[in-house]
Amino acid sequence: MRNAKEILLRLGVKPVNSGAYAGEWLDTEGPELISYNPANGEELGRVRTATAADYEKAVAYAHESFKEWRMVPAPKRGEIIRQLGEELRVHKQDLGALVTLEMGKIIAEGEGEVQEMIDICDFAVGLSRQLYGYTMQSERPFHRMYEQWHPIGVVGIITSFNFPVAVWAWNAAIAAVCGDTMMWKPSSRTPLTAIAVQHIVNRVCERNGVKGVFNLVIGSRKEIGEALIHDKRIPVVSATGSCAMGRHVGEVVARRLGRSILELGGNNAIIVMPDADLKLALRAVLFGAVGTAGQRCTTTRRLFLHEDIFDDFTRSLVEAYKQVRIGDPLDPHTLMGPLVDQKAVRIYLEAMDAIREQGGKIIYGGEKVTEGVPAAGAFVLPTLVEAKNSMPIVQEETFAPILYLIRFRELDDAIRMHNDVPQGLSSAIFTTNLKYAEKFLSAMGSDCGIANVNIGTSGAEIGGAFGGEKDTGGGREAGSDAWKGYMRRQTNTINWGDDMPLAQGIKFGD
Ligand code: NAD
C-alpha cells in the first residue's frame, strides 16, 4: 500500500517516465522532474518533462483529433466517460493512496478525491443525453428559431497541486461529453498522479478505439504553460490555481480573444451567530480549517464569532485543535498530513512573522512540527490567530492551516467584513434564525460564488456549479450548467415559407 512503485504498477503505469501523452507516450527530452513524498522527503519517482517540440506535437494531435471526436454522438461520448467512472471505481484505493503519497492529504481525502472523479463521470454521462438548447418563438411567420450547442475545440486544462486528479476530472469529463479534445498541464508538484490518471483513461480509450481526446503535457510554466495559454488553437483555457496565475492567464487568453474559465484562490469565512448550534459549527470549522492541512481553495481562513460566544467558542476550538492527530497521511487515524513541500512550510512561517508584526495574537500553533514525524516531513501545527479583518496578512490567502478569529457584534458588520477581501469563493453562516440565514444568502449578503447555511465552506458536491467571484476569477466548473463554458452556442433561424420577411418589420427594396 505504501510503496509508490507498487501502487503505480497496480494502476497499470508501465515503467515509462515520459511526461507527455498524445496518442502515445512521447519521447520527451525536457529536464527531469523528481516527485517527493512531502511526509518524509523520499523520492517517489522521476518524470522527463515535455519540451516545446513535444507540446507542439501534442497540440497538433489534439487539434486534429477534434475533427473526429466532435462528430461522435454525445451519448456515445458519454459511454466512454461511463466506462472511465467504472475504471476509477476499480482503482479508487490505489489512486487515492497515490494522491496521498504525492500531495500529502490524508487517505480519506485522497480516496474522497477519486470519488469526486467518479461522481463527475456519473454526472457527465447524464449530461451527454442533455446539453439542451432553447427553442424560441420567431416574430416572423413560417420561421423556426432555436439554438444548439456545438463542441468548441481543444480545451486547455491547467490544474493545481492540491486537487491533482479531481480538478482534471471536473474539466475532462464535461469537456469530453461536450465533444472537445483536451490538453492537460498538471502541476509540476504532482506529476505521478497525472501520469497514473492518463494510463487509466488510456485503457478506456484503447478498449473503445478512441484516440486523441485526452492528452497530457507535463512541463514548466515558462515553456509549456506559456505555450498553451498563448495558443490560438486552444479556444478555452480552464485554469485552476492562485490568483496571481489566473490574472496572468486571464490577460493572455483575453488578448487573443480566447475564453478562460478561472478557478482561483479563496479567503473563505464562516460567521457564527450566538443562536447557532455550536457543536455543529465547531465540527464544520475544524474540518474547514484543518482539513487538507488548510490547502483547499475552500479552506476556512476567517471565522467571525459573535462577541457573546467568542471566548467560549475559542476555548472549544483550542481544545479541538489539541486533539488533531498530525502525522503519516496514509494512517487512517491521522487527521492532518504535511504541507505539500518545504517551500509551503517557509511560507507558513513567514506568515507567522507577518501576523506578529501586524498585531495578530497567535492563540494556538504557529510552529513546525518536529516531534513524532520524519525530520524531512513538511509538518506544521494548525494555527489559531486572534486578528482584525483589515490586517494585510488576513486579506491574503496563505495556503496553510491558519484560521483568523474575528469578533463582531452586529450581523451587518460581520457581512461587511466578510465581503471586505479581494477573493470571493466560499462562505457560510451558522444560525438557527431564518432572518439571519436569508440575509446572508440575499443580494445584500455574501458576495461569494458559494454561500452555505449550517454547512462549512469546504466539501462541495459536484452537482452544483463550482467557483467564485472577484479575484477568485468568476469561472464555474463541475455541475449545473457549467458545461456551457466548454461549448459554442449557435442560434439557428429557418425560413420554411415562401416570403422573406425581415426582422423588426424592415422593408428593404420591396
Ligand atoms: P499555482 O497558481 O502555483 O499553479 C496552478 C497551475 O498553474 C500549475 O499547473 C502551474 O504550473 C500553472 N501555471 C502557473 N503559471 C502559469 C503560466 N504562466 N502559464 C500557464 N500555467 C501556469 O497554484 P497551486 O499552488 O498549484 O495551487 C494552489 C492554488 O490553487 C490556491 O490559490 C488555491 O486556492 C487554488 N485553487 C483554486 C480552486 C478553485 O476551484 N477555485 C481549486 C483548487 C485550487
Side-chain angles (χ1 to χ4, degrees), residues 158-162 185 189 221 225-226 240-242 245 263-265 297 397 466:
I158 296 173
T159 56
S160 55
F161 80 86
N162 64 326
K185 194 211 87 57
R189 289 190 271 194
R221 303 170 172 204
E226 289 294 326
T240 302
S242 59
M245 178 279 290
E263 297 285 353
L264 313 175
C297 52
E397 178 199 49
F466 182 86

mmCIF file with all atom_site columns, all heavy atoms in Angstrom, residues 158-162 185 189 221 225-226 240-242 245 263-265 297 397 466, ligand 1:
data_model
loop_
_atom_site.group_PDB
_atom_site.id
_atom_site.type_symbol
_atom_site.label_atom_id
_atom_site.label_alt_id
_atom_site.label_comp_id
_atom_site.label_asym_id
_atom_site.label_entity_id
_atom_site.label_seq_id
_atom_site.pdbx_PDB_ins_code
_atom_site.Cartn_x
_atom_site.Cartn_y
_atom_site.Cartn_z
_atom_site.occupancy
_atom_site.B_iso_or_equiv
_atom_site.pdbx_formal_charge
_atom_site.auth_seq_id
_atom_site.auth_comp_id
_atom_site.auth_asym_id
_atom_site.auth_atom_id
_atom_site.pdbx_PDB_model_num
ATOM   1   N N   . ILE A 1 158 ? -5.415  23.511 -17.004 1.00 0.00 ? 158 ILE A N   1
ATOM   2   C CA  . ILE A 1 158 ? -4.249  23.761 -16.135 1.00 0.00 ? 158 ILE A CA  1
ATOM   3   C C   . ILE A 1 158 ? -4.701  23.485 -14.705 1.00 0.00 ? 158 ILE A C   1
ATOM   4   O O   . ILE A 1 158 ? -5.694  24.065 -14.250 1.00 0.00 ? 158 ILE A O   1
ATOM   5   C CB  . ILE A 1 158 ? -3.789  25.227 -16.275 1.00 0.00 ? 158 ILE A CB  1
ATOM   6   C CG1 . ILE A 1 158 ? -3.309  25.491 -17.702 1.00 0.00 ? 158 ILE A CG1 1
ATOM   7   C CG2 . ILE A 1 158 ? -2.691  25.552 -15.264 1.00 0.00 ? 158 ILE A CG2 1
ATOM   8   C CD1 . ILE A 1 158 ? -3.001  26.958 -17.987 1.00 0.00 ? 158 ILE A CD1 1
ATOM   9   N N   . THR A 1 159 ? -4.034  22.579 -14.011 1.00 0.00 ? 159 THR A N   1
ATOM   10  C CA  . THR A 1 159 ? -4.526  22.209 -12.679 1.00 0.00 ? 159 THR A CA  1
ATOM   11  C C   . THR A 1 159 ? -3.511  22.507 -11.578 1.00 0.00 ? 159 THR A C   1
ATOM   12  O O   . THR A 1 159 ? -2.306  22.569 -11.803 1.00 0.00 ? 159 THR A O   1
ATOM   13  C CB  . THR A 1 159 ? -4.912  20.711 -12.627 1.00 0.00 ? 159 THR A CB  1
ATOM   14  O OG1 . THR A 1 159 ? -3.784  19.921 -13.024 1.00 0.00 ? 159 THR A OG1 1
ATOM   15  C CG2 . THR A 1 159 ? -6.079  20.413 -13.557 1.00 0.00 ? 159 THR A CG2 1
ATOM   16  N N   . SER A 1 160 ? -4.050  22.665 -10.377 1.00 0.00 ? 160 SER A N   1
ATOM   17  C CA  . SER A 1 160 ? -3.251  22.990 -9.192  1.00 0.00 ? 160 SER A CA  1
ATOM   18  C C   . SER A 1 160 ? -2.832  21.696 -8.489  1.00 0.00 ? 160 SER A C   1
ATOM   19  O O   . SER A 1 160 ? -3.398  20.638 -8.734  1.00 0.00 ? 160 SER A O   1
ATOM   20  C CB  . SER A 1 160 ? -4.092  23.845 -8.255  1.00 0.00 ? 160 SER A CB  1
ATOM   21  O OG  . SER A 1 160 ? -5.305  23.153 -7.975  1.00 0.00 ? 160 SER A OG  1
ATOM   22  N N   . PHE A 1 161 ? -1.869  21.834 -7.571  1.00 0.00 ? 161 PHE A N   1
ATOM   23  C CA  . PHE A 1 161 ? -1.355  20.625 -6.903  1.00 0.00 ? 161 PHE A CA  1
ATOM   24  C C   . PHE A 1 161 ? -2.343  20.045 -5.896  1.00 0.00 ? 161 PHE A C   1
ATOM   25  O O   . PHE A 1 161 ? -2.299  18.854 -5.594  1.00 0.00 ? 161 PHE A O   1
ATOM   26  C CB  . PHE A 1 161 ? -0.033  20.945 -6.184  1.00 0.00 ? 161 PHE A CB  1
ATOM   27  C CG  . PHE A 1 161 ? -0.231  21.622 -4.854  1.00 0.00 ? 161 PHE A CG  1
ATOM   28  C CD1 . PHE A 1 161 ? -0.450  20.876 -3.702  1.00 0.00 ? 161 PHE A CD1 1
ATOM   29  C CD2 . PHE A 1 161 ? -0.223  23.014 -4.733  1.00 0.00 ? 161 PHE A CD2 1
ATOM   30  C CE1 . PHE A 1 161 ? -0.662  21.495 -2.474  1.00 0.00 ? 161 PHE A CE1 1
ATOM   31  C CE2 . PHE A 1 161 ? -0.433  23.631 -3.520  1.00 0.00 ? 161 PHE A CE2 1
ATOM   32  C CZ  . PHE A 1 161 ? -0.651  22.870 -2.390  1.00 0.00 ? 161 PHE A CZ  1
ATOM   33  N N   . ASN A 1 162 ? -3.243  20.893 -5.347  1.00 0.00 ? 162 ASN A N   1
ATOM   34  C CA  . ASN A 1 162 ? -3.973  20.463 -4.151  1.00 0.00 ? 162 ASN A CA  1
ATOM   35  C C   . ASN A 1 162 ? -5.145  19.527 -4.451  1.00 0.00 ? 162 ASN A C   1
ATOM   36  O O   . ASN A 1 162 ? -5.587  18.798 -3.582  1.00 0.00 ? 162 ASN A O   1
ATOM   37  C CB  . ASN A 1 162 ? -4.447  21.671 -3.341  1.00 0.00 ? 162 ASN A CB  1
ATOM   38  C CG  . ASN A 1 162 ? -5.449  22.514 -4.083  1.00 0.00 ? 162 ASN A CG  1
ATOM   39  O OD1 . ASN A 1 162 ? -5.368  22.648 -5.304  1.00 0.00 ? 162 ASN A OD1 1
ATOM   40  N ND2 . ASN A 1 162 ? -6.399  23.072 -3.376  1.00 0.00 ? 162 ASN A ND2 1
ATOM   41  N N   . LYS A 1 185 ? -2.241  20.290 -18.582 1.00 0.00 ? 185 LYS A N   1
ATOM   42  C CA  . LYS A 1 185 ? -0.954  20.616 -17.967 1.00 0.00 ? 185 LYS A CA  1
ATOM   43  C C   . LYS A 1 185 ? -1.138  20.582 -16.450 1.00 0.00 ? 185 LYS A C   1
ATOM   44  O O   . LYS A 1 185 ? -1.672  21.516 -15.851 1.00 0.00 ? 185 LYS A O   1
ATOM   45  C CB  . LYS A 1 185 ? -0.481  22.020 -18.390 1.00 0.00 ? 185 LYS A CB  1
ATOM   46  C CG  . LYS A 1 185 ? 0.991   22.223 -18.053 1.00 0.00 ? 185 LYS A CG  1
ATOM   47  C CD  . LYS A 1 185 ? 1.374   23.647 -17.718 1.00 0.00 ? 185 LYS A CD  1
ATOM   48  C CE  . LYS A 1 185 ? 1.193   24.027 -16.304 1.00 0.00 ? 185 LYS A CE  1
ATOM   49  N NZ  . LYS A 1 185 ? 1.889   23.228 -15.286 1.00 0.00 ? 185 LYS A NZ  1
ATOM   50  N N   . ARG A 1 189 ? 4.161   19.726 -9.227  1.00 0.00 ? 189 ARG A N   1
ATOM   51  C CA  . ARG A 1 189 ? 4.354   19.108 -7.911  1.00 0.00 ? 189 ARG A CA  1
ATOM   52  C C   . ARG A 1 189 ? 3.646   17.752 -7.805  1.00 0.00 ? 189 ARG A C   1
ATOM   53  O O   . ARG A 1 189 ? 3.850   17.019 -6.854  1.00 0.00 ? 189 ARG A O   1
ATOM   54  C CB  . ARG A 1 189 ? 3.867   20.052 -6.816  1.00 0.00 ? 189 ARG A CB  1
ATOM   55  C CG  . ARG A 1 189 ? 4.821   21.239 -6.684  1.00 0.00 ? 189 ARG A CG  1
ATOM   56  C CD  . ARG A 1 189 ? 4.524   22.055 -5.468  1.00 0.00 ? 189 ARG A CD  1
ATOM   57  N NE  . ARG A 1 189 ? 3.552   23.088 -5.751  1.00 0.00 ? 189 ARG A NE  1
ATOM   58  C CZ  . ARG A 1 189 ? 3.306   24.109 -4.939  1.00 0.00 ? 189 ARG A CZ  1
ATOM   59  N NH1 . ARG A 1 189 ? 3.969   24.225 -3.805  1.00 0.00 ? 189 ARG A NH1 1
ATOM   60  N NH2 . ARG A 1 189 ? 2.421   25.018 -5.253  1.00 0.00 ? 189 ARG A NH2 1
ATOM   61  N N   . ARG A 1 221 ? 6.105   26.026 -16.323 1.00 0.00 ? 221 ARG A N   1
ATOM   62  C CA  . ARG A 1 221 ? 5.156   27.109 -16.609 1.00 0.00 ? 221 ARG A CA  1
ATOM   63  C C   . ARG A 1 221 ? 5.657   27.930 -17.785 1.00 0.00 ? 221 ARG A C   1
ATOM   64  O O   . ARG A 1 221 ? 4.878   28.347 -18.637 1.00 0.00 ? 221 ARG A O   1
ATOM   65  C CB  . ARG A 1 221 ? 5.084   28.077 -15.427 1.00 0.00 ? 221 ARG A CB  1
ATOM   66  C CG  . ARG A 1 221 ? 4.726   27.428 -14.165 1.00 0.00 ? 221 ARG A CG  1
ATOM   67  C CD  . ARG A 1 221 ? 4.889   28.319 -12.977 1.00 0.00 ? 221 ARG A CD  1
ATOM   68  N NE  . ARG A 1 221 ? 4.298   27.568 -11.853 1.00 0.00 ? 221 ARG A NE  1
ATOM   69  C CZ  . ARG A 1 221 ? 3.836   28.083 -10.771 1.00 0.00 ? 221 ARG A CZ  1
ATOM   70  N NH1 . ARG A 1 221 ? 3.896   29.374 -10.582 1.00 0.00 ? 221 ARG A NH1 1
ATOM   71  N NH2 . ARG A 1 221 ? 3.308   27.350 -9.832  1.00 0.00 ? 221 ARG A NH2 1
ATOM   72  N N   . GLY A 1 225 ? 3.431   25.965 -20.040 1.00 0.00 ? 225 GLY A N   1
ATOM   73  C CA  . GLY A 1 225 ? 2.278   26.778 -19.627 1.00 0.00 ? 225 GLY A CA  1
ATOM   74  C C   . GLY A 1 225 ? 2.074   27.965 -20.551 1.00 0.00 ? 225 GLY A C   1
ATOM   75  O O   . GLY A 1 225 ? 0.968   28.224 -21.039 1.00 0.00 ? 225 GLY A O   1
ATOM   76  N N   . GLU A 1 226 ? 3.140   28.683 -20.823 1.00 0.00 ? 226 GLU A N   1
ATOM   77  C CA  . GLU A 1 226 ? 3.020   29.888 -21.665 1.00 0.00 ? 226 GLU A CA  1
ATOM   78  C C   . GLU A 1 226 ? 2.605   29.522 -23.094 1.00 0.00 ? 226 GLU A C   1
ATOM   79  O O   . GLU A 1 226 ? 1.805   30.215 -23.710 1.00 0.00 ? 226 GLU A O   1
ATOM   80  C CB  . GLU A 1 226 ? 4.343   30.662 -21.678 1.00 0.00 ? 226 GLU A CB  1
ATOM   81  C CG  . GLU A 1 226 ? 4.655   31.366 -20.361 1.00 0.00 ? 226 GLU A CG  1
ATOM   82  C CD  . GLU A 1 226 ? 3.679   32.495 -20.033 1.00 0.00 ? 226 GLU A CD  1
ATOM   83  O OE1 . GLU A 1 226 ? 3.202   33.174 -20.955 1.00 0.00 ? 226 GLU A OE1 1
ATOM   84  O OE2 . GLU A 1 226 ? 3.374   32.675 -18.838 1.00 0.00 ? 226 GLU A OE2 1
ATOM   85  N N   . THR A 1 240 ? -6.926  26.410 -12.999 1.00 0.00 ? 240 THR A N   1
ATOM   86  C CA  . THR A 1 240 ? -7.187  26.365 -11.558 1.00 0.00 ? 240 THR A CA  1
ATOM   87  C C   . THR A 1 240 ? -5.872  26.581 -10.832 1.00 0.00 ? 240 THR A C   1
ATOM   88  O O   . THR A 1 240 ? -4.897  25.878 -11.096 1.00 0.00 ? 240 THR A O   1
ATOM   89  C CB  . THR A 1 240 ? -7.785  24.982 -11.188 1.00 0.00 ? 240 THR A CB  1
ATOM   90  O OG1 . THR A 1 240 ? -8.970  24.795 -11.947 1.00 0.00 ? 240 THR A OG1 1
ATOM   91  C CG2 . THR A 1 240 ? -8.120  24.905 -9.717  1.00 0.00 ? 240 THR A CG2 1
ATOM   92  N N   . GLY A 1 241 ? -5.862  27.546 -9.931  1.00 0.00 ? 241 GLY A N   1
ATOM   93  C CA  . GLY A 1 241 ? -4.632  27.832 -9.198  1.00 0.00 ? 241 GLY A CA  1
ATOM   94  C C   . GLY A 1 241 ? -4.729  29.171 -8.492  1.00 0.00 ? 241 GLY A C   1
ATOM   95  O O   . GLY A 1 241 ? -5.828  29.655 -8.194  1.00 0.00 ? 241 GLY A O   1
ATOM   96  N N   . SER A 1 242 ? -3.573  29.785 -8.263  1.00 0.00 ? 242 SER A N   1
ATOM   97  C CA  . SER A 1 242 ? -3.529  31.011 -7.468  1.00 0.00 ? 242 SER A CA  1
ATOM   98  C C   . SER A 1 242 ? -4.095  32.203 -8.248  1.00 0.00 ? 242 SER A C   1
ATOM   99  O O   . SER A 1 242 ? -4.159  32.189 -9.479  1.00 0.00 ? 242 SER A O   1
ATOM   100 C CB  . SER A 1 242 ? -2.081  31.300 -7.083  1.00 0.00 ? 242 SER A CB  1
ATOM   101 O OG  . SER A 1 242 ? -1.324  31.435 -8.270  1.00 0.00 ? 242 SER A OG  1
ATOM   102 N N   . MET A 1 245 ? -1.571  33.564 -10.761 1.00 0.00 ? 245 MET A N   1
ATOM   103 C CA  . MET A 1 245 ? -1.539  32.793 -12.010 1.00 0.00 ? 245 MET A CA  1
ATOM   104 C C   . MET A 1 245 ? -2.740  33.151 -12.878 1.00 0.00 ? 245 MET A C   1
ATOM   105 O O   . MET A 1 245 ? -2.619  33.405 -14.072 1.00 0.00 ? 245 MET A O   1
ATOM   106 C CB  . MET A 1 245 ? -1.517  31.288 -11.675 1.00 0.00 ? 245 MET A CB  1
ATOM   107 C CG  . MET A 1 245 ? -1.531  30.345 -12.850 1.00 0.00 ? 245 MET A CG  1
ATOM   108 S SD  . MET A 1 245 ? -3.162  30.068 -13.570 1.00 0.00 ? 245 MET A SD  1
ATOM   109 C CE  . MET A 1 245 ? -3.967  29.135 -12.301 1.00 0.00 ? 245 MET A CE  1
ATOM   110 N N   . GLU A 1 263 ? -10.494 29.443 -11.963 1.00 0.00 ? 263 GLU A N   1
ATOM   111 C CA  . GLU A 1 263 ? -10.864 28.947 -10.629 1.00 0.00 ? 263 GLU A CA  1
ATOM   112 C C   . GLU A 1 263 ? -9.686  29.223 -9.709  1.00 0.00 ? 263 GLU A C   1
ATOM   113 O O   . GLU A 1 263 ? -8.733  28.450 -9.663  1.00 0.00 ? 263 GLU A O   1
ATOM   114 C CB  . GLU A 1 263 ? -11.115 27.427 -10.684 1.00 0.00 ? 263 GLU A CB  1
ATOM   115 C CG  . GLU A 1 263 ? -12.262 27.024 -11.557 1.00 0.00 ? 263 GLU A CG  1
ATOM   116 C CD  . GLU A 1 263 ? -13.610 27.328 -10.920 1.00 0.00 ? 263 GLU A CD  1
ATOM   117 O OE1 . GLU A 1 263 ? -13.662 27.738 -9.741  1.00 0.00 ? 263 GLU A OE1 1
ATOM   118 O OE2 . GLU A 1 263 ? -14.618 27.162 -11.618 1.00 0.00 ? 263 GLU A OE2 1
ATOM   119 N N   . LEU A 1 264 ? -9.765  30.332 -8.986  1.00 0.00 ? 264 LEU A N   1
ATOM   120 C CA  . LEU A 1 264 ? -8.555  30.810 -8.301  1.00 0.00 ? 264 LEU A CA  1
ATOM   121 C C   . LEU A 1 264 ? -8.718  30.791 -6.776  1.00 0.00 ? 264 LEU A C   1
ATOM   122 O O   . LEU A 1 264 ? -9.623  30.166 -6.248  1.00 0.00 ? 264 LEU A O   1
ATOM   123 C CB  . LEU A 1 264 ? -8.213  32.192 -8.846  1.00 0.00 ? 264 LEU A CB  1
ATOM   124 C CG  . LEU A 1 264 ? -8.246  32.266 -10.395 1.00 0.00 ? 264 LEU A CG  1
ATOM   125 C CD1 . LEU A 1 264 ? -8.022  33.676 -10.881 1.00 0.00 ? 264 LEU A CD1 1
ATOM   126 C CD2 . LEU A 1 264 ? -7.241  31.287 -11.003 1.00 0.00 ? 264 LEU A CD2 1
ATOM   127 N N   . GLY A 1 265 ? -7.844  31.507 -6.124  1.00 0.00 ? 265 GLY A N   1
ATOM   128 C CA  . GLY A 1 265 ? -7.746  31.417 -4.667  1.00 0.00 ? 265 GLY A CA  1
ATOM   129 C C   . GLY A 1 265 ? -8.982  31.925 -3.930  1.00 0.00 ? 265 GLY A C   1
ATOM   130 O O   . GLY A 1 265 ? -9.772  32.707 -4.441  1.00 0.00 ? 265 GLY A O   1
ATOM   131 N N   . CYS A 1 297 ? -8.878  25.236 -1.804  1.00 0.00 ? 297 CYS A N   1
ATOM   132 C CA  . CYS A 1 297 ? -9.285  26.587 -2.198  1.00 0.00 ? 297 CYS A CA  1
ATOM   133 C C   . CYS A 1 297 ? -10.430 27.059 -1.319  1.00 0.00 ? 297 CYS A C   1
ATOM   134 O O   . CYS A 1 297 ? -10.606 28.244 -1.085  1.00 0.00 ? 297 CYS A O   1
ATOM   135 C CB  . CYS A 1 297 ? -9.686  26.606 -3.668  1.00 0.00 ? 297 CYS A CB  1
ATOM   136 S SG  . CYS A 1 297 ? -10.894 25.344 -4.068  1.00 0.00 ? 297 CYS A SG  1
ATOM   137 N N   . GLU A 1 397 ? -4.534  34.994 0.838   1.00 0.00 ? 397 GLU A N   1
ATOM   138 C CA  . GLU A 1 397 ? -4.714  33.560 1.020   1.00 0.00 ? 397 GLU A CA  1
ATOM   139 C C   . GLU A 1 397 ? -3.339  32.950 1.288   1.00 0.00 ? 397 GLU A C   1
ATOM   140 O O   . GLU A 1 397 ? -2.502  32.868 0.391   1.00 0.00 ? 397 GLU A O   1
ATOM   141 C CB  . GLU A 1 397 ? -5.307  32.927 -0.250  1.00 0.00 ? 397 GLU A CB  1
ATOM   142 C CG  . GLU A 1 397 ? -5.489  31.418 -0.147  1.00 0.00 ? 397 GLU A CG  1
ATOM   143 C CD  . GLU A 1 397 ? -5.640  30.738 -1.515  1.00 0.00 ? 397 GLU A CD  1
ATOM   144 O OE1 . GLU A 1 397 ? -4.814  30.998 -2.415  1.00 0.00 ? 397 GLU A OE1 1
ATOM   145 O OE2 . GLU A 1 397 ? -6.587  29.959 -1.680  1.00 0.00 ? 397 GLU A OE2 1
ATOM   146 N N   . PHE A 1 466 ? -19.338 25.155 -9.521  1.00 0.00 ? 466 PHE A N   1
ATOM   147 C CA  . PHE A 1 466 ? -18.330 25.469 -8.509  1.00 0.00 ? 466 PHE A CA  1
ATOM   148 C C   . PHE A 1 466 ? -17.440 26.615 -8.986  1.00 0.00 ? 466 PHE A C   1
ATOM   149 O O   . PHE A 1 466 ? -16.925 26.581 -10.100 1.00 0.00 ? 466 PHE A O   1
ATOM   150 C CB  . PHE A 1 466 ? -17.464 24.226 -8.249  1.00 0.00 ? 466 PHE A CB  1
ATOM   151 C CG  . PHE A 1 466 ? -16.443 24.443 -7.186  1.00 0.00 ? 466 PHE A CG  1
ATOM   152 C CD1 . PHE A 1 466 ? -16.768 24.245 -5.858  1.00 0.00 ? 466 PHE A CD1 1
ATOM   153 C CD2 . PHE A 1 466 ? -15.171 24.882 -7.506  1.00 0.00 ? 466 PHE A CD2 1
ATOM   154 C CE1 . PHE A 1 466 ? -15.840 24.479 -4.855  1.00 0.00 ? 466 PHE A CE1 1
ATOM   155 C CE2 . PHE A 1 466 ? -14.230 25.113 -6.513  1.00 0.00 ? 466 PHE A CE2 1
ATOM   156 C CZ  . PHE A 1 466 ? -14.567 24.907 -5.191  1.00 0.00 ? 466 PHE A CZ  1
HETATM 157 P P1  . NAD B 2 .   ? -0.345  27.817 -8.843  1.00 0.00 ? 1   NAD B P1  1
HETATM 158 O O1  . NAD B 2 .   ? -1.016  29.055 -9.286  1.00 0.00 ? 1   NAD B O1  1
HETATM 159 O O2  . NAD B 2 .   ? 1.039   27.905 -8.336  1.00 0.00 ? 1   NAD B O2  1
HETATM 160 O O3  . NAD B 2 .   ? -0.316  26.749 -10.043 1.00 0.00 ? 1   NAD B O3  1
HETATM 161 C C1  . NAD B 2 .   ? -1.503  26.249 -10.619 1.00 0.00 ? 1   NAD B C1  1
HETATM 162 C C2  . NAD B 2 .   ? -1.210  25.742 -12.012 1.00 0.00 ? 1   NAD B C2  1
HETATM 163 O O4  . NAD B 2 .   ? -0.960  26.869 -12.853 1.00 0.00 ? 1   NAD B O4  1
HETATM 164 C C3  . NAD B 2 .   ? 0.021   24.845 -12.122 1.00 0.00 ? 1   NAD B C3  1
HETATM 165 O O5  . NAD B 2 .   ? -0.225  23.803 -13.033 1.00 0.00 ? 1   NAD B O5  1
HETATM 166 C C4  . NAD B 2 .   ? 1.053   25.791 -12.650 1.00 0.00 ? 1   NAD B C4  1
HETATM 167 O O6  . NAD B 2 .   ? 2.114   25.160 -13.330 1.00 0.00 ? 1   NAD B O6  1
HETATM 168 C C5  . NAD B 2 .   ? 0.210   26.618 -13.607 1.00 0.00 ? 1   NAD B C5  1
HETATM 169 N N1  . NAD B 2 .   ? 0.794   27.898 -14.029 1.00 0.00 ? 1   NAD B N1  1
HETATM 170 C C6  . NAD B 2 .   ? 1.406   28.810 -13.260 1.00 0.00 ? 1   NAD B C6  1
HETATM 171 N N2  . NAD B 2 .   ? 1.829   29.846 -14.018 1.00 0.00 ? 1   NAD B N2  1
HETATM 172 C C7  . NAD B 2 .   ? 1.444   29.569 -15.278 1.00 0.00 ? 1   NAD B C7  1
HETATM 173 C C8  . NAD B 2 .   ? 1.604   30.258 -16.520 1.00 0.00 ? 1   NAD B C8  1
HETATM 174 N N3  . NAD B 2 .   ? 2.258   31.406 -16.609 1.00 0.00 ? 1   NAD B N3  1
HETATM 175 N N4  . NAD B 2 .   ? 1.078   29.692 -17.615 1.00 0.00 ? 1   NAD B N4  1
HETATM 176 C C9  . NAD B 2 .   ? 0.405   28.529 -17.550 1.00 0.00 ? 1   NAD B C9  1
HETATM 177 N N5  . NAD B 2 .   ? 0.265   27.823 -16.415 1.00 0.00 ? 1   NAD B N5  1
HETATM 178 C C10 . NAD B 2 .   ? 0.779   28.341 -15.289 1.00 0.00 ? 1   NAD B C10 1
HETATM 179 O O7  . NAD B 2 .   ? -1.315  27.136 -7.751  1.00 0.00 ? 1   NAD B O7  1
HETATM 180 P P2  . NAD B 2 .   ? -1.030  25.878 -6.805  1.00 0.00 ? 1   NAD B P2  1
HETATM 181 O O8  . NAD B 2 .   ? -0.076  26.269 -5.745  1.00 0.00 ? 1   NAD B O8  1
HETATM 182 O O9  . NAD B 2 .   ? -0.747  24.669 -7.621  1.00 0.00 ? 1   NAD B O9  1
HETATM 183 O O10 . NAD B 2 .   ? -2.492  25.656 -6.171  1.00 0.00 ? 1   NAD B O10 1
HETATM 184 C C11 . NAD B 2 .   ? -2.976  26.355 -5.077  1.00 0.00 ? 1   NAD B C11 1
HETATM 185 C C12 . NAD B 2 .   ? -3.879  27.489 -5.514  1.00 0.00 ? 1   NAD B C12 1
HETATM 186 O O11 . NAD B 2 .   ? -4.947  26.994 -6.324  1.00 0.00 ? 1   NAD B O11 1
HETATM 187 C C13 . NAD B 2 .   ? -4.556  28.163 -4.341  1.00 0.00 ? 1   NAD B C13 1
HETATM 188 O O12 . NAD B 2 .   ? -4.566  29.538 -4.566  1.00 0.00 ? 1   NAD B O12 1
HETATM 189 C C14 . NAD B 2 .   ? -5.966  27.593 -4.369  1.00 0.00 ? 1   NAD B C14 1
HETATM 190 O O13 . NAD B 2 .   ? -6.926  28.406 -3.735  1.00 0.00 ? 1   NAD B O13 1
HETATM 191 C C15 . NAD B 2 .   ? -6.184  27.496 -5.838  1.00 0.00 ? 1   NAD B C15 1
HETATM 192 N N6  . NAD B 2 .   ? -7.260  26.549 -6.169  1.00 0.00 ? 1   NAD B N6  1
HETATM 193 C C16 . NAD B 2 .   ? -8.459  27.053 -6.594  1.00 0.00 ? 1   NAD B C16 1
HETATM 194 C C17 . NAD B 2 .   ? -9.508  26.189 -6.854  1.00 0.00 ? 1   NAD B C17 1
HETATM 195 C C18 . NAD B 2 .   ? -10.839 26.710 -7.297  1.00 0.00 ? 1   NAD B C18 1
HETATM 196 O O14 . NAD B 2 .   ? -11.627 25.921 -7.817  1.00 0.00 ? 1   NAD B O14 1
HETATM 197 N N7  . NAD B 2 .   ? -11.159 27.980 -7.129  1.00 0.00 ? 1   NAD B N7  1
HETATM 198 C C19 . NAD B 2 .   ? -9.340  24.807 -6.705  1.00 0.00 ? 1   NAD B C19 1
HETATM 199 C C20 . NAD B 2 .   ? -8.098  24.329 -6.288  1.00 0.00 ? 1   NAD B C20 1
HETATM 200 C C21 . NAD B 2 .   ? -7.064  25.221 -6.020  1.00 0.00 ? 1   NAD B C21 1
#
